[in-house]
């Protein structure tokens, strides 16, 4: 009986695996079609100087809207795009779109544009050329572009770690800057800070305290800001949702903040409006909407 039960369970498990695999294949197929049909858009979220409140940068965040459906967030399709390799084409499209949208902002406002880059893209032999073409094609100067990578990028690019490092080193020599994203959520974080050619450190939103007056809760974010500052990295806090967060970060000497307090991700025209309003002096960023 035990044996039969075991076999049944195995068959159930096997059926579920096959269903999940079929689901994955369908998602990848729909992603491929969606890419061809132009179902993707890029939204922009402001990154604000904690002293003075200027919107100094935007992060490009991809969205997918299949016909007749609500927009789907990247957490639900980036993993499938990475597994299938589709992220290479999708990531290149996001990069070109973001450079094109941000090119007119830079000369007037000096705002940089941050683009997320997956380890799969960095493992492509022509990645640095793809970035250079996106810059030349859009007229965006290299200084205005930031590439966001995660701590695990060298591990996740596996045999391509050398290539990844070479791309980043070449692009930095051009003037492109590199940010480490979601800092503190990966592993061997401290060794990566030493080994990766980076300029900016983004502190993951999980470090934002529920209570900014609780010394226990603020100890970690304080330590990360101190560490980044001693390495001369620009610090950006993610997930700044409240005025208390912003006050704490200012006290700790964090340079920049990104989060709902300063603005949600939205289409390019809204980002341009935000810049215009800021320069106009009439609407301080973060006090615009509730
Ligand atoms: P990320 O790079 O860490 O981007 C920040 C995420 O935090 C965004 O989620 C943003 O909407 C969200 N966020 C911003 N402010 C707040 C806040 O105050 N509170 C909270 N709770 N969340 C906030 P989103 O847009 O869903 O993107 C999720 C992730 O998907 C990104 O995390 C990034 O890793 C990935 N991603 C987005 N676009 C791309 C892309 O073009 N290429 C690649 N490879 N990955 C992308
Ligand atoms: Mg990011
Ligand atoms: Mg992040
Ligand atoms: Mg994050």
């Amino acid at each position: 009986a035990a044996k039969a039960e075991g076999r049944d369970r195995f068959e159930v498990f096997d059926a579920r695996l096959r269903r999940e695999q079929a689901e994955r294949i369908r998602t990848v197929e729909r992603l491929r079609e969606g890419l061809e049909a132009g179902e993707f858009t890029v939204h922009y979220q402001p990154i604000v100087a904690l002293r003075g409140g200027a919107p100094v940068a935007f992060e490009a965040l991809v969205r997918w809207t299949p016909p007749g459906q609500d927009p789907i967030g990247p957490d639900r399709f980036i993993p499938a795009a990475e597994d299938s390799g589709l992220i290479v084409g999708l990531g290149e499209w996001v990069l070109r779109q973001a450079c094109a949208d941000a090119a007119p902002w830079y000369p007037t406002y000096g705002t940089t544009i941050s683009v997320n880059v997956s380890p799969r893209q960095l493992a492509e032999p022509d990645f640095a050329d793809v970035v250079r073409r996106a810059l030349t094609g859009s007229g965006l100067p290299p200084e205005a572009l930031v590439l966001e990578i995660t701590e695990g990028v060298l591990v996740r690019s596996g045999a391509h770690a050398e290539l990844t490092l070479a791309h980043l080193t070449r692009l930095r020599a051009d003037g492109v800057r590199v940010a480490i994203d979601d800092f503190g959520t990966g592993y061997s974080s401290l060794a990566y800070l030493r080994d990766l050619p980076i300029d900016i450190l983004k502190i993951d939103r999980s470090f934002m305290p529920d209570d900014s007056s609780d010394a226990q809760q603020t100890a970690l974010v304080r330590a990360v800001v101190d560490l980044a500052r001693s390495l001369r990295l620009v610090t950006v806090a993610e997930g700044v949702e409240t005025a208390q967060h912003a006050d704490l970060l200012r006290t700790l000497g964090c340079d920049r903040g990104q989060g709902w307090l300063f603005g949600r991700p939205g289409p390019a025209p809204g980002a341009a409006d935000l810049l215009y309003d800021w320069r106009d002096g009439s609407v301080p960023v973060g006090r615009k909407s509730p």
Side-chain angles (χ1 to χ4, degrees), residues 34-133:
L35 202 51
E36 271 168 31
E39 293 166 9
F40 290 86
T41 48
V42 182
H43 281 189
Y44 298 92
Q45 185 178 33
I47 300 173
V48 165
L50 287 166
R51 295 199 182 281
V56 289
F58 285 91
E59 178 171 5
L61 296 158
V62 69
R63 299 288 181 264
W64 181 24
T65 315
Q69 278 182 247
D70 288 332
I72 302 175
D75 288 333
R76 291 197 25 223
F77 61 85
I78 293 285
E82 282 182 334
D83 287 352
S84 62
L86 266 184
I87 191 69
V88 174
L90 177 60
E92 181 175 345
W93 179 82
V94 171
L95 178 72
R96 276 192 275 109
Q97 187 66 46
C99 289
D101 283 334
W105 305 338
Y106 185 69
T108 313
Y109 305 102
T111 41
T112 58
I113 182 74
S114 291
V115 179
N116 293 285
V117 173
S118 128
R120 280 293 286 263
Q121 292 174 267
L122 284 156
E124 292 290 308
D126 67 344
F127 178 73
D129 296 326
V130 165
V131 174
R132 284 169 171 169
R133 276 201 303 273

Side-chain angles (χ1 to χ4, degrees), residues 148 181-182 202 238:
E148 295 197 2
D181 203 357
D182 303 337
K202 299 188 75 173
E238 304 187 280

